Amino acid sequence: MELHNIREEYSKQTLSQKHCDANPLKQFEKWLNEAINAKVCEPTAVNLATVDPFGKPQNRLVLLKEVNDKGFVFFTNYHSKKGQAIAQNPSVALTFFWPELERQVRIEGKAEKISAQQSDDYFNSRPYTSRIGAWASEQSAVISSHTSLIAKAAIIAAKHPVQVPRPPHWGGYLVIPECIEFWQGRPSRLHDRICYYLENNQWIKKRLSP
């Protein structure tokens, strides 16, 4: 395989500093809505990067479930590797990639748990089988087989045939951004990069070289 011959020329859109919203969270909402309307595959999928207690980076895909005036919300098992890493070091990075639009968004910030009530509200909105799965899965733990996982889920479903309470070890995190970068692919690898930095509680926009 000659991977060095695989390349794409990006030319669909442009990104100007002037036309970017003064608030990067509003700019993100605009781009996310455009990704959803363009029927991008998994538009809310985001790569979450953490650092473990030994300084080793880890990353995985999670699903964005809310963006608000404070930041970005996702949900997970607090006992998972990502949860353990965030407990030790709340500094995280998020990356959205929408190849159909030749766009990428990078976010750096701090993750903190949202309130129990907010986690309850979202958990209760999930499908029944997803709520059962949150109890059955000891996320990141070694298991003997998939069959054992299914058997555990069946036991939990029998115990909770209608109402499924939220596991105390499952809930949401809010990623509070410190910088947000918007990347738009351009021809000849001369891409547009507009980065927002938080300085004295004010967002400052700057254009970066590709």
Side-chain angles (χ1 to χ4, degrees):
M1 297 177 63
E2 302 211 5
L3 301 181
H4 58 272
N5 288 328
I6 298 175
R7 56 176 54 89
E8 291 287 338
E9 187 73 355
Y10 301 131
S11 59
K12 290 184 177 179
Q13 301 186 60
T14 64
L15 179 64
S16 73
Q17 188 172 349
K18 177 182 177 181
H19 292 112
C20 284
D21 196 284
N23 186 326
L25 292 163
K26 296 296 184 184
Q27 180 65 32
F28 177 83
E29 287 182 329
K30 178 178 181 291
W31 268 26
L32 178 60
N33 285 331
E34 290 178 4
I36 292 170
N37 291 334
K39 301 189 184 304
V40 165
C41 181
E42 295 287 9
T44 63
V46 56
N47 184 289
L48 167 67
T50 57
V51 178
D52 74 9
F54 304 101
K56 293 173 60 179
Q58 301 170 337
N59 64 353
R60 74 291 285 162
L61 290 175
V62 298
L63 297 178
L64 179 73
K65 289 302 178 181
E66 182 184 343
V67 56
N68 55 43
D69 59 357
K70 294 182 179 179
F72 307 84
V73 177
F74 67 93
F75 293 83
T76 190
N77 186 315
Y78 292 143
H79 295 168
S80 65
K81 283 187 176 180
K82 69 179 87 63
Q84 294 176 46
I86 290 170
Q88 293 285 331
N89 184 347
S91 294
V92 301
L94 302 173
T95 304
F96 293 86
F97 181 48
W98 300 311
E100 296 90 337
L101 299 178
E102 301 173 347
R103 286 175 172 173
Q104 174 181 264
V105 181
R106 295 177 56 252
I107 298 140
E108 296 175 6
K110 296 285 197 306
E112 62 178 38
K113 289 181 181 179
I114 63 175
S115 71
Q117 184 60 58
Q118 289 173 299
S119 290
D120 285 342
D121 290 343
Y122 173 68
F123 186 80
N124 292 333
S125 74
R126 303 180 86 208
Y128 174 78
T129 52
S130 295
R131 284 177 277 157
I132 293 297
W135 278 100
S137 173
E138 297 178 38
Q139 198 172 98
S140 303
V142 175
I143 60 176
S144 59
S145 67
H146 186 71
T147 301
S148 66
L149 182 63
I150 296 299
K152 186 176 179 181
I155 292 171
I156 294 167
K159 183 178 179 181
H160 301 289
V162 180
Q163 296 295 328
V164 185
R166 177 178 63 89
H169 56 267
W170 189 99
Y173 286 102
L174 169 69
V175 177
I176 302 171
E178 297 169 349
C179 71
I180 304 178
E181 180 193 318
F182 296 85
W183 180 96
Q184 178 69 63
R186 295 294 303 277
S188 303
R189 295 297 186 265
L190 300 178
H191 311 304
D192 288 328
R193 295 175 63 190
I194 305 299
C195 193
Y196 294 72
Y197 300 91
L198 195 59
E199 297 180 2
N200 299 319
N201 294 319
Q202 295 290 327
W203 287 108
I204 306 300
K205 279 187 295 184
K206 297 181 181 179
R207 176 175 283 274
L208 303 181
S209 172

